[in-house]
Structure formats: C-alpha cells, structure tokens
Amino acid sequence: MSKKIGEILVENSVITKEQLLEGLKHQTFNGGMLGEALISTGAIADENVISQFLAKQLNMGKLSLKDLVFDNEVVGLIPFDMAQKYEMIAINKTNRVLTVAISDAKNIFMLDAVKFLTGCAIKPVLASSREIVDAINANYEASHEVDNIIEDLKGENIEVLADEHDKDEPEDIASAVAEAPVVKLVNHLILEAVRRRVSDIHIESYQRILRVRYRLDGVLIETSPLPFRLRSAVTSRIKIMADLDISEKRLPQDGRIKIKMGFKTIDIRVSTTPTIFGEKIVMRILDASNLMLDLANFGIPERGLMNIQQTLAAPYGMLLVTGPTGSGKTTTLYSALSALNKPDINIMTAEDPVEYNIEGINQININHDIGLTFSAALRSFLRQDPDVIMVGEIRDLDTAEIAVKAALTGHLVLSTLHTNDAPSTLTRLTDMGVDPFLSASAVRCIVAQRLIRKICSDCKEQVDPSKQEMLPFLHLTKSEIDNLTVYQGKGCSSCNNTGYKGRCGLYEILPITSAIQDLIINKAPPFTIQSKAVEEGMLTLRMAGLQKLKTGITTINEVVGATS
C-alpha cells in the first residue's frame, strides 16, 4: 500500500482536502498519529471509522479488543519491543495460525518478521490504535528492567519506603544500587532523563497504566510505561524525596529534590496534581551544567546582539524578554545577569522559583503564602542599594509601576512578560495601566523569542519544498519558493527517529529608538510599531525563522509552528 492513509481517505471522500490539511497541521503542532489529529479537529468522529475503512480496503477483518481475554503465552510470542514499536499484539493461536491485531496498514509488512519468529502462518486483523496500546500495556510487563524490579518486589512491603536520607545532603543516585526496588526504579527514571538531557519527566496515571513521558527538545516522547500496581509506591517515593506530604492526595503540591550525579549536583522541581485515576507528577530537571550563559553563543543576529549589549552597558533602563512558557526567557535573563555579574555590581533577583543558583547574585524565592510577592520583593530591593534588579515576571500594575520607576531612577531592570511579539509588549504595559510616557522612557530594548528544533545532522536530507504540506502557511511568493532549498531529517538512532536533535532560538529584538518612543507615547497599535521597527532594521520572528530555514538549520513545520 504505497499511498498514505490521508490520501486514501481523501480519494474515497471520507474527508476533504481541507480537513486533511487541518489534520496535518494539528499533527505537526501536537504530535501523535494522523487519525488522532483528524478526530481532534472534528474531521472524523471516531478512530474506528479509519480502521473500519482500511479493513474494507484491504479485505481484512476488523476487531474490537475491549472485551477479549488474552493468553499470556500467545501474547508473548511477539517480543515487547516489536509489539510496542509497531503497535501489534498476538490475540489467538489455532494450530499453526497466529491471529495478530495491527493498527497501521503499513505494519502489515512487519508480519513477515513475526512469521519468521513464530513459525506460524499470520492472520492479520485491524484494531484501533488506542485499543492495541491499552492491550499491550495491560498484557506486557513494560520493559525487562522493570520486570526484574517487579521480581525483586515479591515478598516486600512496598508501603515501607521511608528509609530517608538527610534532606540537607544531596542524594547520590549512583550509590543507590543496594536500596529498595521502587527506589531503584525512580532513580533509573531520573538518571536516564539526565543522561538524555531531558527537561521534564511526566508520570501519569490512567485507568490501567502508569504512563511515563520525557520532554526532549520541547516535545514529549513516550517511553516504556510502568505497571499500574506500582502507582502508589512510585508516587510515594517521589513525594518523600521532594519532602511532600504522602498522605495528601487531594490537593496539588510542589517540592524540590536535590540529587548528586558524580561531581555535579542537579535540582529537580516536583509538581503533583490529583487526577481521576491518581496523581500526576511532573519533574522539571534543572541541570546547571547544561546552562549556556554566553549570549554570543545563542545564535542571535549581530545587530540584535549589539542592541542587547548596549542595553546591558547602560547605567539604567529596562530590558524585557517575552515569549510563551518554555521559550528560553529565563536562560536569556540568566545569561544577561552572568555578563553583568562583577564584584563591583550589586545584583538582586526575585524569582518564582529560583531555577539556577549563580554565585555572586542575591536571589530570592517568591512566596505568595507569606505575602512575599514580586512587588513586595521589589520594594525591599530598592532599600538594598542595588545596581541591577531582575524580576521573574511582571504580572500586575503594582509590579510594573515599581519596575518602571526603578528603571527611571538609576537601576538596570530585567524582567519577562507573556506577549506574542516585541511590539505587543508595549501595548501590554499600557493595558496594565503604565503611563505610555513612562514606559517609553524606561524600556530600552525588548526581546521576543521562541525555541525551535534543529534538523538532526546525522540523517539530514534535501526534500522538495512544493511537497511540504505546511508550505502554504509561510505565504511565500512563487519566486521565493523556486529559490528555496529545504531539508528535513528522515529519522535515525541518533535522534530517536524524530529527525530533530537539539534546539536553537528565534529572536525578534526591538530597540526603543526615538521614533519608536514617539509611537508609544501616541499609543500607536502594535502593527504600526512593528512596521516602523522593521523599517529601522528589526527582524520579526517569521523573518528570523525563514533565515534558519534557508540555511538548512530547521524545517518548514518548525518555522510555521513557532511563528504562525
């Protein structure tokens, strides 16, 4: 079957071309299978519609796995790794005929390998992806490593896990080999995440599985699930490490873990929240050894980098960094602080919470429960003879007014805002209630940024831009498309078959010139400010993305997703 499923569905009027494009766009932004994307966008009501249609096209049976009782010996005929990777499961063996459920018609060719492994004739049937995944998770014991841990658990009381270390000392994960099996399992999850340079670990309880996902290069990647019966033990272990209340399961909690790996210490922020099937845990890994603190290495265009450096060299004023969560704003601010961090400069920061400890900088954790808000911390800072102040985020008028006044009275102020682009930041301050004249005088430079994935250099290949589904969303002229060279990664072991490895930044840097100041004072709309800034040489986020695209650093999908 050479045609893609999307093309077949369109040709047979199951969906329209417009619905396919919308589904592909949703799949690009959110990941997952095309079928899931078509369901999310409303093009198809149920995943079974796709599998039923394919079954008819391929003259193959369609089966629901919900009420089937599986034989462990039959299921085990297909290795777990193969079953998980190709979404297939053995459901019945009669004489020398093995019935195997698959979710993707492309995987029918993998059944030759199953035939070779089992020595049986293979009878394929189609089933929905979700039902197969659920069946795999319910009938396999996840990974061999987890199997060994579960074997060790026999006869152990998994509730008695409070053999805790001194919370003042970082825990040495590397020396945990002699500890309880669940402890080893949690340590393995963290250790593997650090080795793979993962930013977050998600542990999620569902009806029958304990799902584990790693966020790598900004995208969640599913790894082997854990047996559901370990849910309470794993949750309790992580809560104990983070010094949280293990008896409180109805309310969200936040904590922190400090671990030691070799010669480096790593901080982990832990957040728990109750769901209908148990608590979901997210662990944010803060590895200072991965923190890049030199702005010159960020890939910022030379003109923009000069604007930032001029702002940092000024004795007073404000540098604002904007962008969505996970766009690298904190890293940019830390890098700016690192450039300013000298013995003759007093630097104070208010953060919620402090992510990285930097020697020589006075850092304060915001605590709303006791009234230590950003505005309260700022007022305190002004009595501490600061030269540079960093405010984690300007969220309200009180904080904005104090920050602006500090920037006008001899202090260099760095902070973040949540806006879509640089020109919108000025409108946001006005909407908060800051006088346009004050913001025009205080703000010296605004940096809007995004993070996009880079093409894996080990599997990079040139592709035809006209065959890229997301090309129309770039709004290029025909001559620009004709002169466009596009690359993508086909997927390899080096990049976990994603085609991407590592990330880079897109930067829209707006220096506040006298012409921009006049527009701010006159309350000009963001698009007017943007037009003037572009006229003066500013690159918009889309322009910066196109530069990365033309130099073969990233793909059309990444540029569209980050700058739409």
Side-chain angles (χ1 to χ4, degrees):
M1 188 167 135
S2 59
K3 289 187 178 179
K4 294 182 179 179
I5 176 62
E7 295 174 354
I8 295 175
L9 292 173
V10 171
E11 284 180 3
N12 288 271
S13 302
V14 178
I15 59 174
T16 65
K17 286 185 179 179
E18 291 73 18
Q19 288 174 322
L20 174 59
L21 277 175
E22 187 66 25
L24 289 168
K25 182 180 178 182
H26 185 281
Q27 182 188 26
T28 300
F29 293 158
N30 299 284
M33 302 290 287
L34 178 59
E36 296 171 348
L38 291 172
I39 292 170
S40 298
T41 57
I44 290 178
D46 186 352
E47 186 181 13
N48 286 317
V49 172
I50 299 176
S51 52
Q52 286 171 357
F53 177 78
L54 284 176
K56 191 181 296 183
Q57 290 291 304
L58 298 170
N59 294 319
M60 193 185 300
K62 167 73 174 65
L63 187 66
S64 174
L65 307 185
K66 286 182 180 178
D67 301 320
L68 285 185
V69 177
F70 289 84
D71 184 329
N72 289 336
E73 290 187 8
V74 174
V75 169
L77 292 173
I78 299 178
F80 169 75
D81 290 344
M82 179 182 286
Q84 185 185 50
K85 183 174 182 180
Y86 297 104
E87 284 191 7
M88 60 174 62
I89 188 167
I91 57 178
N92 183 50
K93 182 173 181 286
T94 304
N95 297 325
R96 304 294 296 174
V97 178
L98 182 67
T99 303
V100 179
I102 60 175
S103 65
D104 189 340
K106 294 194 297 291
N107 293 341
I108 197 170
F109 302 110
M110 285 305 301
L111 296 179
D112 289 337
V114 177
K115 180 180 179 180
F116 175 78
L117 282 172
T118 62
C120 296
I122 306 300
K123 178 185 176 182
V125 294
L126 278 171
S128 74
S129 173
R130 174 45 56 194
E131 288 184 3
I132 290 180
V133 170
D134 285 346
I136 290 171
N137 291 332
N139 292 280
Y140 284 91
E141 292 289 0
S143 66
H144 294 298
E145 184 161 0
V146 176
D147 282 342
N148 295 335
I149 291 172
I150 295 168
E151 188 66 29
D152 291 341
L153 273 173
K154 290 180 179 177
E156 298 233 15
N157 182 358
I158 62 174
E159 295 300 322
V160 186
L161 295 174
D163 52 339
E164 264 314 290
H165 52 277
D166 182 353
K167 295 303 291 186
D168 293 330
E169 292 295 326
E171 181 179 0
D172 192 346
I173 282 189
S175 66
V177 292
E179 297 184 26
V182 171
V183 175
K184 286 192 267 184
L185 174 57
V186 173
N187 288 345
H188 168 74
L189 289 176
I190 297 173
L191 192 65
E192 183 66 17
V194 173
R195 284 174 177 165
R196 292 169 64 175
R197 301 171 73 93
V198 165
S199 63
D200 301 87
I201 306 171
H202 290 239
I203 302 175
E204 302 160 321
S205 294
Y206 292 94
Q207 191 168 9
R208 287 180 292 172
I209 65 168
L210 191 62
R211 182 165 76 162
V212 179
R213 293 189 291 173
Y214 289 150
R215 188 175 292 280
L216 181 63
D217 292 335
V219 176
L220 282 172
I221 298 173
E222 191 161 354
T223 184
S224 298
L226 305 178
F228 188 67
R229 62 180 177 269
L230 292 183
R231 172 187 56 170
S232 298
V234 170
T235 302
S236 296
R237 171 57 185 166
I238 294 171
K239 282 185 167 183
I240 289 169
M241 293 175 72
D243 201 19
L244 300 177
D245 183 358
I246 62 172
S247 64
E248 180 54 76
K249 300 179 180 180
R250 301 166 301 170
L251 295 172
Q253 297 186 68
D254 295 299
R256 200 161 194 148
I257 301 171
K258 183 179 282 189
I259 64 171
K260 186 179 178 184
M261 288 183 59
F263 296 101
K264 67 180 180 180
T265 300
I266 296 169
D267 281 326
I268 301 174
R269 289 205 329 246
V270 179
S271 173
T272 72
T273 191
T275 69
I276 59 174
F277 294 116
E279 290 177 280
K280 170 176 171 146
I281 297 176
V282 176
M283 293 186 280
R284 166 67 57 89
I285 298 172
L286 304 171
D287 186 355
S289 65
N290 293 335
L291 187 64
M292 185 168 57
L293 293 176
D294 188 352
L295 286 168
N297 295 329
F298 278 30
I300 302 174
E302 186 176 348
R303 182 189 179 97
L305 181 60
M306 183 182 68
N307 291 329
I308 295 175
Q309 290 171 337
Q310 285 176 344
T311 302
L312 297 178
Y316 60 90
M318 184 182 287
L319 172 69
L320 293 175
V321 183
T322 80
T325 301
S327 59
K329 299 188 300 294
T330 301
T331 301
T332 299
L333 286 181
Y334 275 132
S335 302
L337 291 176
S338 180
L340 295 167
N341 189 11
K342 298 174 184 175
D344 59 339
I345 294 180
N346 180 20
I347 303 176
M348 304 195 73
T349 75
E351 305 171 58
D352 185 19
V354 173
E355 293 196 6
Y356 297 100
N357 301 321
I358 302 179
E359 188 174 350
I361 296 177
N362 304 285
Q363 297 170 275
I364 292 179
N365 263 321
I366 293 303
N367 188 338
H368 295 280
D369 294 338
I370 61 172
L372 183 55
T373 61
F374 282 119
S375 56
L378 262 176
R379 288 191 182 93
S380 172
F381 287 175
L382 295 177
R383 297 189 291 272
Q384 292 283 320
D385 186 31
D387 297 298
V388 178
I389 296 171
M390 193 270 269
V391 186
E393 183 182 348
I394 295 177
R395 297 177 180 172
D396 51 53
L397 175 59
D398 197 17
T399 306
E401 283 184 333
I402 300 169
V404 167
K405 288 175 183 176
L408 291 172
T409 55
H411 306 89
L412 183 61
V413 179
L414 286 66
S415 190
T416 70
L417 275 173
H418 284 283
T419 59
N420 291 328
D421 54 28
S424 298
T425 306
L426 301 160
T427 306
R428 174 76 177 126
L429 288 173
T430 302
D431 290 342
M432 280 184 177
V434 179
D435 190 305
F437 178 79
L438 293 178
S439 59
S441 303
V443 180
R444 288 181 175 270
C445 185
I446 301 171
V447 180
Q449 64 182 70
R450 301 287 188 275
L451 287 177
I452 57 171
R453 291 182 292 173
K454 297 192 293 185
I455 300 171
C456 174
S457 57
D458 292 332
C459 59
K460 182 176 179 179
E461 61 179 7
Q462 187 173 338
V463 295
D464 184 354
S466 64
K467 294 183 179 179
Q468 302 297 300
E469 290 92 347
M470 303 303 288
L471 181 64
F473 295 100
L474 287 178
H475 305 296
L476 299 177
T477 64
K478 186 179 184 306
S479 61
E480 287 175 323
I481 294 173
D482 291 340
N483 294 320
L484 188 64
T485 303
V486 177
Y487 298 89
Q488 68 180 26
K490 61 183 179 181
C492 64
S493 58
S494 178
C495 61
N496 292 314
N497 292 311
T498 63
Y500 298 97
K501 190 173 183 180
R503 289 192 290 178
C504 63
L506 300 182
Y507 300 93
E508 179 178 285
I509 300 171
L510 172 61
I512 307 302
T513 62
S514 57
I516 299 295
Q517 281 182 329
D518 290 339
L519 292 174
I520 298 169
I521 293 169
N522 292 318
K523 298 184 180 180
F527 66 84
T528 303
I529 297 174
Q530 183 187 66
S531 297
K532 185 61 179 177
V534 170
E535 184 183 314
E536 292 182 344
M538 183 189 82
L539 291 179
T540 65
L541 287 168
R542 173 56 61 86
M543 292 175 182
L546 287 174
Q547 282 191 348
K548 301 287 187 185
L549 177 65
K550 291 173 182 176
T551 52
I553 294 174
T554 191
T555 63
I556 292 176
N557 290 350
E558 286 294 297
V559 174
V560 172
T563 65
S564 60

